[in-house]
Structures are given as C-alpha cells and as structure tokens.
C-alpha cells in the first residue's frame, strides 16, 4: 500500500439522483420533527415513518463510500480515509452543537422546566463534548430528554455513522463479496427480529447512552450501511427513465405511510419497517444509482438538494427545540393551528442550512482539506 497518507484523491463523479434523494429525505425528516410534538402518541403522527430516513441515510452512505473508496485502498491509508470523513462530517457537528448551546437557555419551557437551572459551565462542557461527538453520559443530561447529544439531538446518528465508517476502514472492507453477503444477511436477520419483537412496534431509538439504545443504534446502522456497501460492489445500475421522480415518490411513500397495525398488532408495523429497510431502500438506491438527470434544471435541483441535505439535517433541530418549546406552551394545539409556526420553522431551517453550507461548511472543509494533506 502506498504510505503517503493521501487525502487528496480526486473526487469521483456524484450520483445525481442519489444526491437529490438524500435531500428529499432530509426535508421529510424536518417535517417529521415538526409534526411529532403535535401527535398524542407514536401511533398518530401525520408523518409517521419519517424517522426511517435515518436508515435510508445509512444505506446511502454505505453505497457511496463503497463506490468512492472500495477500489482505492492501494492509494489510501486508514488514517487518510478517516481524515477525509472527519473533514466531511465534523464541521457541521461542531456548528450544530454550538448553535444548540447558543439557543439552549431560550428554550426553557413547560416541557424542559429545568433548563434555567443548568449552570453555564455545565452547558459549555456538554458543548465541548458534543464537538467530539462522544456521547454525553446520563449524568450530564441538561435538557431532560436523555439524549446523548442534548444540544443537537440528531448527533446520535452521526455517532453511529462514524462507528460504521471505522468498522469499514479497519477491517470489514476486506471481506469478500460472499463473506460480506453472509454478514449482511445476519445483520438483516437481527434487524428483522428486533423490528418485529420490539415492544414499541418500530425501530426508533439510538439516541440515549444506555444498553437498550446502543443496541438499537447498532442494529439500525450495521445492516443498511453494509448492505449499501455490498450493493455498490455487486449491482450494476441500469438506466431508469425519470428515476429521480419515481424514486422520490417511493421515498416519500415509505416515510409518509401511516402507522400500520395500530396498538393491537404492533408487530405489523415493525414488519413494515423491516421490509422497507431490507428490501425497499436497497431497491430505491439501486434504481437511483441508474438515474440520470433529464435536463440541466433537474441536475441543478439534485445538486442543490444533495448539497443542502447534510447541513439541513445537522442544523434543523436547533430550531425544532424552539418549536417544541412553543408547542409545549400551547397544550392541545392542533396541526392547523400550529401550521404557521411550523412553516416558519421549516423555512428558517432551509435558510439556516443554506447559510451554514455557503458561509461555514464549504469554507471550513476547504481549509481542513489544506491542513490535513
């Protein structure tokens, strides 16, 4: 192996349709988080399966990393790979935690009544830990939701993304296709069993530093990430007419699907979610990988959505905290009554993501790229 620790390998062409789909899924995540506090229970959320976007992100990540790096390990070291991932992921991790700290005391509300009692030193310690993406222990929970990242809740999925990246780099990339297929099949069986037997009737979880949530996080990460890797190796995408349109509709249909089975047959919903993660999401990625933009306008839309997706995901919850606090002050408010505030929060999230992308993320990554050569 070339031992030059090269972090400047040329970037391969992007899958335009997959970039666009990542943006569509990120937008639906924001909508899910805006409807979630208005639902009386997990059975009644208008955008009931929006959280499955995280599993879709993991699968997309595995596919894209396999495509980008699998044939380049003769020119790349483990350290260089991890530096490239750090450069891509970490700037927005730091920004999200910082913005969460800036807004923290302003979200004091009936749902988080003890926020004003948190001393500044503790807030700053939690922020600094958050910058590293290491989970915050329960003893350092400052919000009351038992989040491993109480300043930016979505950080939990990036924590598991890093775990998957490390596992790939230090060993699992060396698996043959057959061995990887066996590994993926076992991970799929574990995911199916968990989804069907989970008392909640779904795959939600992973954001708390305890044994139960760590199990959920690992289960939700390992199968989609590594089936994405396997798919990048063995599937040969074929051209699909209107792939972006059809795949976007499929993603939306999966994530907007109402709860299945109700309170009496929770396992049915778990079965639906396992089916989506194990069968439907790989199919969408396969179809999307074969898609080509039909026009310059569609190519620009896909690029815009792809560029915006990660900043949107990593910064939107900072505003959602304010929205949830507002909803908690208006107990019993309906979706139609909350719509103006939800729309304002959604619009603000888009603007914040774009500003974060252009004035922070892209310049910071360019600076890191030079420093980490």
């Amino acid at each position: 192996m070339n031992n030059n620790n090269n972090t400047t390998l040329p970037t391969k062409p992007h899958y335009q349709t997959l970039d666009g789909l990542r943006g569509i899924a990120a937008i639906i995540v924001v909508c899910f988080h805006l409807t979630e506090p208005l639902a009386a229970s997990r059975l009644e959320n208008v955008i009931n399966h929006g959280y499955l976007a995280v599993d879709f992100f993991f699968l997309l990540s595995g596919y894209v990393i396999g495509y980008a790096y699998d044939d380049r390990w003769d020119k790349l070291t483990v350290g260089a790979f991890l530096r490239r991932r750090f450069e891509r992921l970490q700037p927005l991790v730091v920004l999200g935690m910082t913005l969460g700290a800036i807004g923290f005391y302003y979200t004091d509300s009936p749902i988080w009544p003890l926020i004003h009692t948190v001393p500044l030193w503790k807030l700053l310690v939690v922020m600094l830990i958050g910058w590293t993406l290491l989970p915050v222990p329960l003893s350092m929970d400052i919000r009351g939701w038992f989040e491993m990242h109480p300043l930016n809740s979505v950080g939990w999925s990036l924590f598991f993304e890093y775990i998957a990246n490390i596992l790939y780099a230090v060993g699992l990339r060396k698996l043959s296709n057959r061995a990887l297929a066996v590994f993926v099949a076992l991970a799929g069986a574990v995911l199916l069993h968990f989804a069907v037997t989970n008392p909640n009737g779904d795959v939600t979880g992973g954001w708390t530093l305890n044994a139960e949530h760590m199990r959920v996080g690992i289960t939700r990460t390992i199968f989609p990430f590594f089936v994405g890797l396997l798919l990048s190796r063995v599937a040969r995408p074929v051209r699909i007419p209107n792939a972006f349109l059809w795949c976007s509709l499929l993603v939306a249909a999966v994530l907007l699907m109402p709860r299945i089975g109700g309170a009496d047959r929770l396992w049915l919903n778990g079965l639906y979610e396992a089916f989506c993660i194990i069968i439907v999401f790989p199919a969408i990625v396969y179809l999307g990988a074969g898609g080509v933009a039909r026009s310059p306008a569609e190519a620009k839309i896909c690029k815009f959505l792809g560029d915006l997706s990660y900043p949107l995901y990593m910064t939107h919850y900072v505003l959602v905290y304010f929205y949830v606090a507002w909803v908690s002050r208006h107990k019993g408010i309906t979706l139609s009554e909350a719509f103006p505030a939800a729309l304002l929060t959604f619009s603000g999230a888009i603007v914040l993501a774009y500003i974060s992308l252009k004035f922070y993320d892209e310049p910071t990554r360019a600076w890191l790229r030079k420093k980490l050569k």
Side-chain angles (χ1 to χ4, degrees), residues 42 47 110 119 128 132 134 136 146 180 184 339:
R42 67 175 66 233
I47 304 177
L128 292 175
T132 71
L134 292 173
V136 174
F146 306 109
L180 182 59
V184 165
F339 183 77

Side-chain angles (χ1 to χ4, degrees), residues 227-238:
V227 80
L229 173 64
L230 181 63
L231 195 64
S232 75
R233 291 182 176 185
V234 303
R236 294 295 174 263
V238 295

Side-chain angles (χ1 to χ4, degrees), residues 333-356:
I333 192 171
T334 64
L335 179 58
S336 60
E337 292 169 336
F339 183 77
L343 182 60
L344 179 63
T345 306
F346 177 85
S347 303
I350 298 293
V351 172
L352 177 60
Y354 187 78
I355 292 173
S356 300

Side-chain angles (χ1 to χ4, degrees), residues 29-30 32-37 93 95-113 115 123 126-127 130 133 136 140-157 207-208 312-330 341-342 344-346 348-349 352:
V29 166
V30 178
F32 166 74
H33 284 143
L34 294 174
T35 59
E36 188 179 27
V93 169
L95 179 64
M97 300 298 173
T98 304
L99 293 176
I102 292 171
F104 178 74
Y105 289 118
Y106 298 100
T107 59
D108 199 355
S109 58
I111 197 169
W112 302 305
I115 281 180
L123 172 66
V126 170
M127 182 185 72
L133 211 56
V136 174
M140 291 293 289
D141 177 35
I142 57 175
R143 190 176 295 277
W145 267 6
F146 306 109
E147 303 153 297
M148 64 169 67
H149 299 295
L151 296 178
N152 191 15
S153 185
V154 299
W156 73 270
S157 63
W207 48 78
T208 299
L312 180 61
Y313 182 73
M314 287 304 295
T315 61
H316 80 278
Y317 215 86
V318 172
L319 300 182
V320 170
Y321 282 129
F322 285 88
Y323 172 79
V324 171
W326 177 82
V327 169
S328 75
R329 297 188 194 102
H330 298 79
L344 179 63
T345 306
F346 177 85
L352 177 60

